[in-house]
């Protein structure tokens, strides 16, 4: 098993905490300036019991990563019962329920490569690529005077995810979105 700095923890990672295996749902760096010090705020879910927990972990602490079998898989499609993935080596298909994806389903478009983690031959987590390209299907009209300013507007993507985008983004354009934070990065 490998130890990593707490600052390297990302959503989808599996860690060992208090002798249990947890899936990281959210992870973000917090610095309170002047007092205390920096820490990572980590929201995680126990893979056995399903209980959720929030932890503050100091940035200098090392966290044990759970030993898992990681397989490269490709998202194929969503049918009524779940999301279908294909193992890129054996071409076997695996269907996962929407609850398993913990809100990451909005970043899945067909042919997206993901990493699915297995523990004792049972899928226990999915790790998305750092960014995905999504097409904007609905947003407010473009303002003629809008340039690269700090103002944003809501946009709905092809997968149903709502993202705050700059004023110059219009319907039909493809954008890159950060899968950890759900934030707009750039036009694709």
């Amino acid at each position: 098993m490998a130890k990593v700095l707490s600052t390297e923890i990302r959503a989808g990672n599996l860690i060992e905490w208090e002798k249990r295996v947890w899936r990281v749902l959210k992870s973000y760096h917090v610095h309170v300036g002047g007092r205390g010090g920096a820490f990572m705020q980590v929201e995680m879910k126990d893979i056995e019991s399903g209980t959720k927990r929030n932890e503050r972990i100091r940035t200098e602490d090392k966290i044990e990563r759970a030993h898992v079998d990681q397989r490269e898989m490709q998202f194929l499609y969503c049918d009524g019962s779940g999301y279908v993935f294909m193992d890129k080596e054996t071409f076997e298909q695996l269907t996962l329920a929407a609850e398993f994806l913990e809100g990451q389903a909005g970043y899945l478009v067909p042919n997206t490569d993901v990493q699915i983690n297995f523990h004792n031959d049972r899928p226990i987590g999915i790790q998305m690529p750092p960014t995905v390209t999504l097409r904007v299907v609905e947003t407010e009209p473009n303002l003629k005077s809008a340039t690269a300013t700090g103002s944003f507007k809501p946009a709905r993507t092809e997968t149903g995810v709502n993202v705050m985008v700059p004023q110059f983004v219009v319907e039909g354009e493809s954008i890159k979105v950060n899968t950890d934070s759900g934030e707009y990065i750039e036009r694709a």
Side-chain angles (χ1 to χ4, degrees):
M1 296 200 204
K3 286 194 175 227
V4 295
L5 280 172
S6 63
T7 54
E8 296 174 23
I9 298 172
R10 300 285 177 262
N13 287 162
L14 294 168
I15 60 172
E16 282 195 19
W17 186 263
E18 297 179 352
K19 299 180 182 176
R20 299 188 67 83
V21 179
W22 300 80
R23 181 180 325 130
V24 176
L25 303 177
K26 294 179 187 172
S27 172
Y28 49 94
H29 188 266
V30 178
H31 182 73
V32 283
R35 300 207 286 179
F39 60 89
M40 293 297 292
Q41 183 72 36
V42 180
E43 182 181 329
M44 53 192 178
K45 181 178 181 179
D46 187 336
I47 65 164
E48 294 296 324
S49 67
T51 58
K52 290 184 180 179
R53 181 174 182 174
N54 279 309
E55 285 292 329
R56 283 186 174 184
I57 304 170
R58 297 182 314 166
T59 55
E60 61 270 9
D61 287 350
K62 290 196 175 217
I63 304 299
E64 192 81 36
R65 288 191 88 174
H67 177 68
V68 294
D69 177 26
Q70 300 174 335
R71 297 184 199 163
E72 286 291 320
M73 300 190 94
Q74 185 177 56
F75 172 66
L76 298 177
Y77 59 90
C78 176
D79 62 10
S81 62
Y83 293 81
V84 180
F85 297 86
M86 178 185 67
D87 190 312
K88 293 177 80 173
E89 290 180 16
T90 64
F91 303 106
E92 292 178 13
Q93 291 186 2
L94 169 71
T95 303
L96 298 175
E99 302 83 44
F100 181 83
L101 298 175
E102 293 287 336
Q104 294 176 310
Y107 302 114
L108 286 174
V109 290
N111 301 323
T112 300
D113 290 336
V114 297
Q115 185 175 11
I116 297 185
N117 300 316
F118 289 81
H119 189 270
N120 296 331
D121 290 328
R122 190 177 111 226
I124 56 172
I126 182 170
Q127 207 162 342
M128 300 293 291
T131 63
V132 293
T133 302
L134 301 173
R135 192 172 41 80
V136 175
V137 294
E138 184 181 318
T139 189
E140 295 171 5
N142 189 4
L143 297 176
K144 294 214 183 282
S145 62
T147 58
T149 63
S151 62
F152 287 84
K153 63 183 180 180
R156 191 166 53 83
T157 65
E158 61 191 304
T159 60
V161 172
N162 290 318
V163 179
M164 295 301 287
V165 298
Q167 292 290 335
F168 56 81
V169 174
V170 296
E171 288 181 19
E173 279 189 313
S174 293
I175 58 172
K176 279 193 175 179
V177 179
N178 181 321
T179 57
D180 280 340
S181 63
E183 294 176 348
Y184 166 87
I185 297 175
E186 63 186 3
R187 282 195 255 194

